[in-house]
Amino acid sequence: MSSRKVKIFVAEFLIFCLCLKLSFGGIIDNVVEQYAFDESEENVCNLPDTLVKEIAGYQNTVNRIIKEIVNGKFKGKTWDSLATLTDTFGPRMTCTESLENAIDYVKENMKRSGLENVHTENVTAPWWIRGYENADMVKPWKRNLPILGLGSSIGTPRGGIIADVIAVENFDEFKTIPEDQVKGKIVLFVPPWEGYEKTVVYRSEAASVAARKGAVGALIRSITPFSINSPHTGHQNYASDVKRIPVAALTVEDAQMMLRMYRRGQTITVNLEMSDRNNGNCVTRNTIGELEGTKYKNTSVVVVSGHLDSWDVGVGAMDDGGGAMISWKAVEFLKAMNLRPKRTIRAILWTSEEQGLIGAQNYLEDHKKNEKEEFNFFMESDIGTFEPRGLDFSGNADGACILKEVLKLMTSLNATEFSQPTDGGPDISWWTTRGYPGASLMNKNEKYFWYHHSNGDRMEVEDKDTLDKCTALWASAAYVISDLSVNFPRSLDSN
Ligand SMILES: *[C@@H]1O[C@H](CO)[C@@H](O)[C@H](O)[C@H]1NC(C)=O
Ligand SMILES: *[C@@H]1O[C@H](CO)[C@@H](O)[C@H](O)[C@H]1NC(C)=O
Ligand SMILES: *[C@@H]1O[C@H](CO)[C@@H](O)[C@H](O)[C@H]1NC(C)=O
Ligand SMILES: [Zn+2]
């Protein structure tokens, strides 16, 4: 999951507020009546009985899918495949040989595992190289600081920069510090964890905000609720109007210590050296394999997806090896069970998500011409593959009613929860923010950001039985949606 999502979310939120204002500013007398009507429409489903019965009719098939994956011949296979992938290729950073080798491996093995129309599609992605990175606190005492440069950061001059540190909790506090005090300093932002969406803006914007006042470097407290002194990386963006300065993440412990010291009036001096650099673009690939539908082939496709690329730390077992693997295995296991739905289920393992949803963006552009005919539903797992709870839905009220019926089939997995958050999966947001329906795997991911973008993202985060349940939910939901007699409802923009 990257920060691009947040921007889309913010944009959506603004649009939502604007719409609310416009519609409420209209005929004031009708507001109450209108509101009551809207609410009942949102909460009460009036699906045709035949459709409700049709969906309920999938219970035996869904039970069989769940049984085979959780307790039958596919038991443990998702975790085993993920372990093989991550043990063999390690982390899969955009524009590295290990990512491209992993893509070739997945492509070959998708073919071997019976997927159809297996191929890759080229993607042009930004090429950021993490170089040598070192930070030492040199005053008031010596300490080597574990750091991770943020994606797209430039480096320092050779030998690094030595500067005093200004530590603030947030952007508002930074506003109160006069420009002449910031000039030539390294600015450290130490925002408390307030959930990812809210806190990640410090990762995205720290360098630009600090540079605007003449800072020579920026540091952030890692974007995580929990730490054993591990830094967490992630993408950042330079605003177009600022001088680019190097930016890196400190551990929670070091960042908070420096904030305490700064507030006591102690002078903190840091020597920051980074040889990170941007190296133009490279060509990478989305990896695609299908279970072709009986009635529709490359129209009305149900996409199941996760991203195959990762950061260069850890092995990307959780972000997003798990999501990529359940998408591949869901299709593989359905095929092995001879379950072929009416619509094609297309597994897409996105590339370069971490650099700003690049693989999915390229895919959108390449498939835009016939997208209304080509796509029916978008699924994405990129917020963890812990114990599944249900599905987070993006779409309209009719779609919500259908998905709620589908989720009733997942009782034996205890994964029947439905929610409709404002932000769905990041890669599929290219479609869901334009009215295409989609779902993201809702799971017990309270610890997701403990490991996210850190060296802790290893296979040990993933549990064998839990991963089976995720694959089972993923395969069951994809199967039912792709086999329904009706197309999934959508509310496309007029453009
Ligand atoms: C994809 O990229 C590779 C490597 O850059 C290139 O050789 C190949 O022709 C490209 N394929 C397509 C269909 O553009
Ligand atoms: C549909 O798929 C077939 C076979 O893969 C291909 O030949 C055809 O060009 C595709 N049609 C579209 C509209 O993409
Ligand atoms: C099912 O999930 C709910 C909500 O997450 C949880 O409270 C409950 O303990 C779970 N039940 C079982 C049998 O796992
Ligand atoms: Zn991710």
Side-chain angles (χ1 to χ4, degrees), residues 82-97:
L82 183 56
T84 304
L85 176 82
T86 58
D87 295 349
T88 306
F89 300 100
R92 301 166 304 282
M93 174 92 157
T94 294
C95 303
T96 64
E97 216 176 299

Side-chain angles (χ1 to χ4, degrees), residues 397-449:
D398 288 340
C401 291
I402 293 179
L403 201 69
K404 282 175 187 167
E405 293 301 320
V406 172
L407 280 163
K408 286 181 187 166
L409 304 166
M410 312 301 170
T411 310
S412 70
L413 282 174
N414 194 22
T416 56
E417 284 184 64
F418 170 95
S419 85
Q420 205 159 349
T422 39
D423 58 328
D427 276 318
I428 63 170
S429 66
W430 291 115
W431 292 272
T432 54
T433 54
R434 292 182 302 122
Y436 286 88
S440 173
L441 181 77
M442 191 204 299
N443 61 104
K444 294 185 183 164
N445 60 358
E446 291 79 10
K447 292 184 180 168
Y448 181 78
F449 291 103

